[in-house]
């Protein structure tokens, strides 16, 4: 039996490519013909639809942009696949929706695991994703060899839905950190501290959310990042093209959970609202680190790094 991959976008294509490179027979499908064509160039056998992937695969990995797409895939697998099929859903969706999908899968004897990831396109292409997995630990262990091809680390979080919850908290912390950092960057600009100094100091020596800062600076200070900012010897997750509307979706999912469990998230609610304002201003389809541009517009300023500022300090311990 083949390994199935449903969803051959930037992440799914990387997953499928690495499985092929590890000598697995991989069958995949995506509604986007261009995505299928690119995956085919990496040796993926392209199916006609989800049901064909279900019929030909004993283990299936989902990498889809919306919960409804995950549900459609599960319905096809339940109807056309074999009982005992393992489905690892790497999409980010509501923890409660994940449990609904698990119930749907169980009705057909299919094992569903919510497996949200960190690492994005870069991690998928390199086979170095981090997977948070919810579901039967024995079945996860049985697929350890397959998962090790696409991920550097796999963390078993607990029951189905638990992994999605942890991923939403992960994104909540990251987005809140980014907005707070942008506030600090505006004040640093007024005070006269170059963005280089602030970034290198926080990134290296306080280790505040390294990947988030790397993504922010690589998007906003492109050439300067490569020459002056990028930590020597580091291979972080740079130039994250994770768009604002997608980042906002995850905050809304967490807000809904907070409302359901009557938990107050004042900072998270502020960031969710700020995301909403940025989307209304036309930033929804831009990488989320570019929220800096929205701040610059609101405060009629421009944050830039200068040769003089970079020479003033590299933010290194003397």
């Amino acid at each position: 039996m083949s390994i199935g991959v449903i969803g051959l976008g930037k992440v799914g294509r990387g997953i499928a490519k690495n499985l092929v490179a590890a000598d697995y027979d991989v069958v995949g499908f995506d509604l986007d013909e261009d995505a299928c064509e690119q995956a085919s160039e990496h040796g993926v056998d392209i199916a006609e639809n989800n049901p064909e992937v279900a019929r030909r695969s004993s283990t299936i990995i989902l990498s889809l942009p919306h919960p409804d797409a995950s549900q459609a895939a599960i319905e096809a697998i339940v109807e056309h696949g074999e009982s005992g099929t393992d489905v690892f859903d790497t999409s980010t969706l509501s923890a409660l929706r994940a449990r609904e999908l698990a119930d749907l899968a169980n009705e057909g004897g299919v094992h569903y695991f919510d497996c949200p990831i960190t690492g994005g396109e870069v991690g998928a292409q390199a086979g170095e994703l981090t997977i948070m997995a919810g579901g039967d630990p024995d079945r996860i262990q049985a697929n350890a060899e397959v998962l090790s091809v696409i991920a550097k680390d796999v963390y078993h979080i607990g029951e189905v839905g638990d992994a999605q919850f942890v991923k939403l908290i992960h994104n909540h912390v990251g987005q809140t950190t980014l907005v707070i950092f942008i506030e600090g960057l505006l004040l640093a600009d007024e005070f006269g501290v170059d963005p280089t100094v602030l970034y290198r100091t926080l990134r290296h020596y306080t280790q505040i959310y390294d990947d988030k800062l790397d993504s922010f600076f690589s998007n906003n200070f492109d050439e300067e990042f490569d020459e002056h900012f990028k930590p020597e010897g580091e291979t972080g997750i740079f130039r994250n093209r994770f768009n604002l509307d997608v980042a906002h979706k995850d905050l809304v999912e967490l807000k809904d959970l907070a409302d359901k469990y009557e938990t107050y998230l004042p900072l998270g609610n502020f960031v969710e609202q700020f995301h909403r304002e940025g989307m209304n201003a036309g930033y929804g389809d831009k990488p989320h680190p570019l929220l800096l541009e929205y701040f610059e517009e609101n405060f009629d300023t421009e944050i830039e790094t200068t040769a003089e500022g970079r020479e003033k300090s590299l933010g290194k311990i003397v």
Side-chain angles (χ1 to χ4, degrees):
M1 296 288 281
S2 299
I3 304 295
V5 179
I6 297 178
L8 297 171
K10 294 177 180 179
V11 173
R13 188 162 60 249
I15 289 172
K17 178 196 74 171
N18 286 314
L19 289 169
V20 171
D23 293 327
Y24 286 99
D25 292 326
V26 180
V27 56
F29 176 70
D30 195 290
L31 292 173
D32 188 308
E33 293 184 0
D34 289 338
C36 290
E37 183 176 345
Q38 291 180 54
S40 178
E41 293 173 359
H42 292 295
V44 178
D45 187 5
I46 303 302
E48 291 188 0
N49 48 35
N50 288 346
E52 182 182 346
V53 175
R55 285 191 295 269
R56 295 174 56 186
S57 308
S58 57
T59 296
I60 300 174
I61 298 171
L62 308 184
S63 177
L64 297 165
H66 193 277
D68 290 346
S70 289
Q71 178 157 341
I74 296 299
E75 290 173 350
I77 294 166
V78 168
E79 182 176 355
H80 299 279
E82 294 185 1
S83 178
T85 298
D86 294 317
V87 180
F88 296 91
D89 190 351
T90 66
S91 317
T92 299
L93 44 89
S94 163
L96 299 179
R97 185 69 179 273
R99 290 177 177 173
E100 293 175 0
L101 294 180
D103 290 340
L104 175 62
N106 287 338
E107 292 176 4
V110 172
H111 306 292
Y112 175 87
F113 305 88
D114 63 319
C115 295
I117 60 172
T118 64
E121 178 186 359
V122 174
Q125 292 292 330
E128 296 181 350
L129 294 169
T130 295
I131 293 177
M132 291 159 272
D136 183 348
D138 293 334
R139 295 304 310 155
I140 293 173
Q141 184 60 44
N143 286 274
E145 185 175 320
V146 171
L147 296 176
S148 69
V149 172
I150 66 175
K152 180 172 61 175
D153 297 299
V154 179
Y155 295 97
H156 180 245
I157 305 300
E159 299 176 354
V160 172
D162 291 353
Q164 290 291 356
F165 176 77
V166 171
K167 174 63 185 299
L168 291 175
I169 293 294
H170 168 276
N171 288 359
H172 166 76
V173 172
Q175 294 302 324
T176 303
T177 299
L178 187 149
V179 172
I180 292 172
F181 180 74
I182 289 175
E183 288 185 344
L185 197 63
L186 284 157
L187 185 57
D189 184 64
E190 292 295 325
F191 191 77
V193 172
D194 193 87
T196 314
V197 180
L198 192 62
Y199 163 73
R200 290 183 68 95
T201 305
L202 294 183
R203 202 305 187 170
H204 278 284
Y205 306 120
T206 61
Q207 296 183 345
I208 299 176
Y209 221 74
D210 292 354
D211 289 347
K212 185 62 64 180
L213 292 185
D214 290 346
S215 170
F216 174 82
F217 264 79
S218 62
N219 274 278
N220 285 290
F221 302 97
D222 192 351
E223 295 179 3
E224 293 88 349
F225 179 84
D226 286 334
E227 184 176 355
H228 300 281
F229 296 1
K230 189 174 180 179
E232 295 179 7
E234 295 284 348
T235 56
I237 301 170
F238 306 133
R239 291 184 179 83
N240 191 325
R241 301 304 183 187
F242 196 64
N243 286 352
L244 180 61
D245 54 2
V246 180
H248 178 255
K249 172 184 70 70
D250 296 342
L251 295 186
V252 171
E253 298 284 11
L254 190 67
K255 184 176 183 294
D256 289 344
L257 281 177
D259 292 342
K260 177 179 176 61
Y261 292 102
E262 299 181 349
T263 301
Y264 184 41
L265 300 177
L267 290 178
N269 288 340
F270 165 76
V271 174
E272 187 274 326
Q273 180 61 35
F274 186 74
H275 274 204
R276 192 183 301 275
E277 292 176 7
M279 291 165 61
N280 290 339
Y283 285 84
D285 59 354
K286 295 183 179 182
H288 65 94
L290 297 187
L291 271 174
L292 174 62
E293 294 180 3
Y294 182 49
F295 263 94
E296 290 174 327
E297 289 181 6
N298 282 345
F299 291 96
D300 193 24
T301 188
E302 183 176 354
I303 307 300
E304 59 183 358
T305 178
T306 64
E308 181 182 1
R310 292 191 294 274
E311 291 171 0
K312 181 179 177 180
S313 171
L314 291 178
K316 292 184 176 180
I317 293 176
V318 178

